[in-house]
């Protein structure tokens, strides 16, 4: 918690006695979110430059890509930043 924030919420008023404190959220940072890293990896490996009009082969490729991680993957955990390199 930032040092300039009060320890006790100060949002209570006579009309609304609930102790509410506004908490600022960080800027959206998709590069820090593991699922966003997985989507980027999928796009790089499978979807990149997909130009087929028939989406059935793409669907099969995406399924195959995701199925390889169904039983866990140390490689994937490293790629999304959940394990050290």
């Amino acid at each position: 918690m930032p040092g300039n924030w009060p320890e006790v919420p100060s949002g209570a008023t006579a009309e609304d006695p609930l102790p509410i404190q506004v908490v600022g959220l960080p800027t959206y940072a998709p590069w820090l979110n593991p699922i966003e890293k997985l989507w980027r990896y999928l796009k790089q490996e499978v979807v990149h430059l997909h130009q087929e009009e028939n989406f059935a082969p793409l669907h099969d490729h995406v399924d195959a890509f995701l199925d390889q991680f169904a039983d866990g993957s140390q490689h994937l955990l490293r790629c999304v930043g959940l394990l050290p390199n």
Side-chain angles (χ1 to χ4, degrees), residues 21 24 38 40 47 56-57 74:
Q21 181 175 4
L38 173 60
R40 184 181 67 222
V47 183
Q74 298 293 314

Side-chain angles (χ1 to χ4, degrees), residues 16-77:
D16 186 8
L18 296 175
I20 297 173
Q21 181 175 4
V22 175
V23 177
L25 296 175
T27 304
Y28 179 64
W31 58 91
L32 300 176
N33 187 344
I35 195 65
E36 297 288 349
K37 292 178 183 182
L38 173 60
W39 299 146
R40 184 181 67 222
Y41 184 34
L42 170 67
K43 183 177 178 183
Q44 290 172 344
E45 297 295 319
V46 178
V47 183
H48 182 67
L49 296 178
H50 172 75
Q51 295 180 353
E52 297 178 32
E53 291 182 18
N54 181 0
F55 285 97
L58 176 62
H59 186 271
D60 294 341
H61 289 233
V62 169
D63 281 348
F65 178 82
L66 295 175
D67 285 346
Q68 69 180 326
F69 307 123
D71 295 323
S73 168
Q74 298 293 314
H75 173 71
L76 178 63
L77 291 176

Side-chain angles (χ1 to χ4, degrees), residues 6-20:
E7 292 289 325
V8 178
S10 59
T13 65
E15 297 84 31
D16 186 8
L18 296 175
I20 297 173

